[in-house]
Amino acid sequence: MNSADDSPPIGVTIFGDRYRIRTDRGDAHTRACAKYVDDAIQRAHMTGVAEPHRAAILAALEITDELLQARGEIEQLTAAVEARVTGVTERLESLGGHTAP
């Protein structure tokens, strides 16, 4: 989250601890992020991890895995769109159409 020195702090609770966060992302977004992290830590804790720092590390790994999978999917979709655009462009050129440079 980005820091915003002139923004009022937003209070959130993560795994029972209260945090005051300054951000320019807005109240709803900040609370949604905090809830997502709290939910991930709670899931790790429910698997039997008692130590809060270990639950936080497992949650961070879970969230990072989700992030990396999403990035991979975006790369695949981007490649597919680029291939389709190239195909359409080539077809238009073969039909005598002109494409913008």
Side-chain angles (χ1 to χ4, degrees), residues 41-50 55 58:
I41 294 173
Q42 295 290 346
R43 282 192 303 275
H45 181 67
M46 297 296 283
T47 65
V49 177
L58 289 175

Side-chain angles (χ1 to χ4, degrees), residues 82-97 99:
E82 288 173 352
R84 291 194 71 168
V85 167
T86 299
V88 168
T89 301
E90 289 171 355
R91 184 155 185 206
L92 286 172
E93 288 173 350
S94 72
L95 295 173
T99 58

Side-chain angles (χ1 to χ4, degrees), residues 15-66:
F15 204 56
D17 291 328
R18 190 91 171 127
Y19 299 92
R20 296 185 57 74
I21 300 170
R22 289 187 191 274
T23 178
D24 61 358
R25 297 289 190 178
D27 189 77
H29 180 80
T30 301
R31 291 185 191 285
C33 288
K35 182 178 181 338
Y36 197 88
V37 169
D38 184 60
D39 290 347
I41 294 173
Q42 295 290 346
R43 282 192 303 275
H45 181 67
M46 297 296 283
T47 65
V49 177
E51 300 88 3
H53 72 280
R54 290 187 185 273
I57 290 169
L58 289 175
L61 288 171
E62 176 185 325
I63 293 168
T64 302
D65 178 56
E66 292 173 8

